[in-house]
Amino acid sequence: MSHHTVSAPVLIIGAGPSGMVSALCLARRGVDCVLIERRPGLENHPKAHELSARSIEILHELGLGHGELSAEASPEEDAAKILFCGTIGEEFGCIDLRANGVGRKYREHLEAPMPYLNLSQVELEKLLRGRVSASPRIQALHHHQWESFEQDAEGVTSRITDRATGETFSVRSQYVICSDGAGSRSRKALGIEMKGPDKLLDVVNAYFQADLRRVVRTRGKLYFIFSPKAPGSVFIAHHVEKRWVFHLPVATPHEKIEEYTPEVMQKKIKAALGRDDVDIEITSMSHWRMTAQVAERFRSGRVFLVGDAAHRFPPTGGLGMNSGIGDAHNLAWKLAMVIERRAAPRLLDSYEAERRPVIETNCDESRLNFERMSEVAEAFGIEVEEAQWVNEKLASSTMRALPAPLRAWTERQVQHYGESILSRYHRDPSVRERVLAAIAQQRSHFDRIGLDLGYTYEEGALLGDGTRPPEVDDRVSSYLPSTRPGARFPHFWLDGNRRQRGSRSMIDYGASILLLGAAVEALPADLEALEHVEARHGVRLFRLGAADIPACHRAAVHALAQIEQDGALLIRPDGHVAWRQQRGVTLSVELIASIVEQVYGV
């Protein structure tokens, strides 16, 4: 047993997406960290698959190019389609996110060529791990397990076990980030409880590799299956030609998870495909419990929770992993500023103040999306609660006690009845109309630009300017750009129709940006001192008057930034607006120092 101690400003527990993004964000700020992960290598079983517009933006800031991210993602046209089916070859309806101007809506507000990516978490983790391995500021220790920590006034001492050798050692850090997943051992050690329902559904899933181009009628990314032979199941096409995940609800406690062997899952997959002639090679299986929970607090002293350690959502909406990436991006620069002594420790209080409202909204929307899926079944005339009761009875000990032939006959009768209900779609135009209307109502489940880009921090590291947030007709699917303090600084083109230089290109995770209108003048006595304001205050000046902006486009740029020619605003390292004065600004060192002190503390 070893008793040596490793020192680093930050220890990160868990090397999933939120943990690795935390490490990369800290490295971008010049802060060293130790990143530990209990797994010896990357997990090959896919989990999340949806990368949001905001996450793409964050990863791009960290150096992951758009081409690199999209290389293993499914084609854009596939990622835009969500199918509702009997079996996968019997389609009832489709949501196409490129239809009705939705794609244009995203393109208007993003510099990235894609508004979202259908990218397996496994593939994303490969990219992130490559960046982590290449960073001299990140000491990544795989096959290492966190055991315990002790906090004091100066820092945290954590005990770590090398799972390969059994040796233990200590990591001494100023702060700890817990990103060790939904079952977070570190969160439990802190005594932080999760609030919200701890069981909505139990699910078994199987990852299999297959080329199903000739099986599906329409290429897409999600296929919701209503066939009574595999009711409530979902196919996720991580890539139609390569990678698929099949999710099947389990009626626990009447059914046992362990009963769903690879052989059983193969039969269920073929039933949901409506084909027996397809070779299914299951690579791995897993099970998970759907919950809708948020931690009662995101911090205990010098220890912070991010990602699934802080919140667990239903997957409906694809908000879980993306929320974790947002957590990491919000927290890391604040830790860095405090460690660098550019900010007071009270800045760290803003992490939970800012992220909790966003997380609670995302949790509520995810649960609502899950519950609203029953509207499609009800449109067929299916009573969802009765159907659940029937499934539970079929899995009950009473049914299991019946002779196998009688049990099989009963199951066939139930399936025939279910198929007769689904057939109403083809026989009754009014049923078809109801089903298509119910499917259309699921659009906000997937069209969520408001949740992706429109969330605004109302309290935290910002100075309100007394203005009200923009009013939208739908907070999920609508977005109005804003530079109101707390909002994400919007994308627009600085060079007009050339479309080569976006407004967010000025944002740098390593500094705050003071955006100055073209007519803002500095106090003559401060001209020399302003040249050193970045070194002293971590604030970089960006003058619209000196930028390469076509003269004919300059007025439009000020309007898009929502300031007058003599206005200014401060953009935080994470790209959110911290302060805004729309007119009447006279630039001085005193003004900058005052803003920085009020926003960040000194």
Side-chain angles (χ1 to χ4, degrees):
M1 179 177 290
S2 173
H3 295 286
H4 73 279
T5 298
V6 175
S7 296
V10 181
L11 168 68
I12 302 172
I13 304 170
S18 59
M20 287 193 280
V21 169
S22 295
L24 291 169
C25 285
L26 288 169
R28 178 68 185 81
R29 294 284 311 202
V31 175
D32 294 341
C33 69
V34 173
L35 172 65
I36 63 168
E37 169 56 51
R38 68 186 307 275
R39 299 172 297 175
L42 289 170
E43 188 171 325
N44 292 321
H45 190 84
K47 296 178 182 177
H49 66 100
E50 185 81 4
L51 204 58
S52 72
R54 181 65 176 130
S55 292
I56 293 170
E57 205 168 60
I58 290 169
L59 294 172
H60 186 54
E61 290 174 15
L62 294 175
L64 279 81
H66 300 138
E68 190 176 10
L69 288 170
S70 62
E72 282 299 323
S74 65
E76 183 180 352
E77 57 270 25
D78 294 5
K81 292 189 178 70
I82 299 94
L83 287 302
F84 296 77
C85 312
T87 61
I88 206 168
E90 181 190 9
E91 297 175 6
F92 296 125
C94 173
I95 292 174
D96 187 345
L97 296 177
R98 297 178 304 168
N100 302 320
V102 174
R104 184 170 61 254
K105 173 175 66 177
Y106 272 91
R107 286 193 297 273
E108 181 182 349
H109 300 300
L110 293 171
E111 185 173 357
M114 73 290 284
Y116 43 77
L117 283 173
N118 182 36
L119 175 66
S120 170
Q121 181 177 329
V122 172
E123 300 303 319
L124 175 61
E125 288 189 9
K126 289 178 183 177
L127 295 174
L128 291 172
R129 188 170 183 180
R131 288 294 195 279
V132 165
S133 299
S135 173
R137 294 200 172 275
I138 304 171
Q139 183 180 0
L141 302 176
H142 290 267
H143 214 200
H144 284 67
Q145 181 164 296
W146 171 87
E147 301 292 353
S148 64
F149 38 44
E150 294 181 3
Q151 298 193 56
D152 56 48
E154 302 299 324
V156 187
T157 300
S158 303
R159 188 166 61 88
I160 311 298
T161 297
D162 183 332
R163 300 183 73 195
T165 66
E167 293 185 348
T168 63
F169 61 94
S170 297
V171 174
R172 179 65 178 175
S173 60
Q174 294 180 50
Y175 297 98
V176 174
I177 297 175
C178 301
S179 56
D180 48 342
S184 175
R185 294 171 66 246
S186 57
R187 182 193 66 238
K188 293 173 183 176
L190 293 168
I192 298 177
E193 296 184 0
M194 302 296 288
K195 299 297 183 181
D198 63 355
K199 179 184 175 182
L200 299 177
L201 194 67
D202 280 321
V203 180
V204 174
N205 62 17
Y207 170 47
F208 64 97
Q209 296 178 328
D211 183 350
L212 298 184
R213 284 177 293 181
R214 297 182 180 180
V215 177
V216 300
R217 286 178 54 190
T218 302
R219 294 175 62 115
K221 69 177 173 184
L222 286 168
Y223 299 81
F224 292 96
I225 303 300
F226 289 83
S227 168
K229 295 180 180 179
S233 60
V234 183
F235 284 104
I236 301 176
H238 289 230
H239 211 297
V240 170
E241 295 97 334
K242 303 178 185 179
R243 297 181 289 270
W244 290 79
V245 179
F246 178 70
H247 293 265
L248 183 71
V250 179
T252 56
H254 309 284
E255 294 181 293
K256 305 297 182 185
I257 297 292
E258 54 270 21
E259 294 174 356
Y260 283 83
T261 62
E263 292 74 24
V264 171
M265 289 298 281
Q266 277 192 345
K267 292 179 181 178
K268 289 291 185 180
I269 290 170
K270 290 184 177 182
L273 291 175
R275 298 275 294 268
D276 288 323
D277 59 343
V278 180
D279 290 330
I280 300 299
E281 181 183 345
I282 293 178
T283 303
S284 59
M285 287 180 52
S286 183
H287 62 86
W288 54 279
R289 174 164 290 181
M290 186 186 298
T291 65
Q293 296 185 301
V294 178
E296 61 182 354
R297 62 186 190 277
F298 292 178
R299 178 186 183 183
S300 177
R302 291 175 170 268
V303 182
F304 297 82
L305 307 181
V306 302
D308 287 355
H311 42 78
R312 305 189 291 220
F313 305 158
T316 37
L319 298 171
M321 178 177 70
N322 292 300
S323 295
I325 291 172
D327 294 343
H329 194 243
N330 180 282
L331 175 61
W333 68 269
K334 297 173 180 177
L335 286 172
M337 286 190 70
V338 173
I339 290 168
E340 296 162 355
R341 299 185 183 277
R342 289 189 178 274
R346 65 178 173 83
L347 175 64
L348 301 177
D349 296 336
S350 69
Y351 168 61
E352 181 165 350
E354 293 177 356
R355 292 303 295 171
R356 176 173 289 280
V358 176
I359 295 306
E360 289 178 344
T361 294
N362 289 350
C363 185
D364 291 344
E365 288 296 331
S366 298
R367 184 178 180 183
L368 178 62
N369 288 337
F370 167 68
E371 293 171 346
R372 287 178 58 191
M373 287 297 296
S374 64
E375 295 173 0
V376 179
E378 291 167 354
F380 282 101
I382 299 171
E383 294 292 339
V384 174
E385 290 186 1
E386 289 184 9
Q388 291 173 342
W389 180 84
V390 169
N391 282 335
E392 290 174 359
K393 292 302 179 184
L394 289 174
S396 67
S397 57
T398 302
M399 279 294 297
R400 292 168 185 269
L402 294 177
L406 180 56
R407 183 181 178 187
W409 179 86
T410 304
E411 290 176 349
R412 286 196 300 272
Q413 297 308 304
V414 171
Q415 290 172 2
H416 290 328
Y417 178 68
E419 288 167 352
S420 71
I421 292 178
L422 294 182
S423 69
R424 296 173 184 170
Y425 176 87
H426 303 290
R427 293 185 285 107
D428 188 335
S430 65
V431 171
R432 177 183 174 88
E433 184 178 347
R434 286 201 307 270
V435 170
L436 291 176
I439 289 173
Q441 287 298 313
Q442 308 302 313
R443 176 174 288 273
S444 63
H445 180 153
F446 313 99
D447 174 17
R448 54 177 191 276
I449 190 172
L451 296 182
D452 285 353
L453 304 180
Y455 62 85
T456 298
Y457 301 138
E458 294 296 333
E459 296 181 4
L462 55 95
L463 294 175
D465 66 355
T467 59
R468 296 180 60 82
E471 294 185 7
V472 295
D473 55 358
D474 182 343
R475 69 172 183 174
V476 174
S477 300
S478 297
Y479 167 67
L480 286 176
S482 174
T483 63
R484 178 176 176 266
R488 161 193 169 271
F489 185 73
H491 161 73
F492 50 85
W493 296 107
L494 293 174
D495 53 359
N497 291 331
R498 297 177 192 168
R499 294 178 173 259
Q500 297 297 313
R501 190 181 186 196
S503 60
R504 292 186 57 84
S505 64
M506 74 178 79
I507 296 171
D508 185 342
Y509 199 72
S512 298
I513 305 298
L514 185 61
L515 178 66
L516 301 167
V520 171
E521 295 184 356
L523 291 176
D526 283 6
L527 289 176
E528 183 177 348
L530 286 170
E531 295 179 3
H532 307 287
V533 74
E534 182 173 357
R536 183 174 178 183
H537 295 292
V539 175
R540 185 176 305 159
L541 306 183
F542 188 94
R543 302 174 185 271
L544 291 179
D548 184 18
I549 300 173
C552 61
H553 189 56
R554 194 161 293 169
V557 166
H558 284 82
L560 292 165
Q562 299 172 13
I563 58 173
E564 301 293 337
Q565 299 255 348
D566 59 347
L569 51 84
L570 183 71
I571 306 170
R572 307 185 327 186
D574 62 355
H576 283 256
V577 178
W579 166 87
R580 179 177 68 173
Q581 184 175 325
Q582 292 178 293
R583 61 184 62 83
V585 173
T586 299
L587 183 62
S588 67
V589 172
E590 182 181 359
L591 173 66
I592 294 172
S594 174
I595 296 168
V596 168
E597 195 282 328
Q598 292 180 76
V599 173
Y600 304 137
V602 177

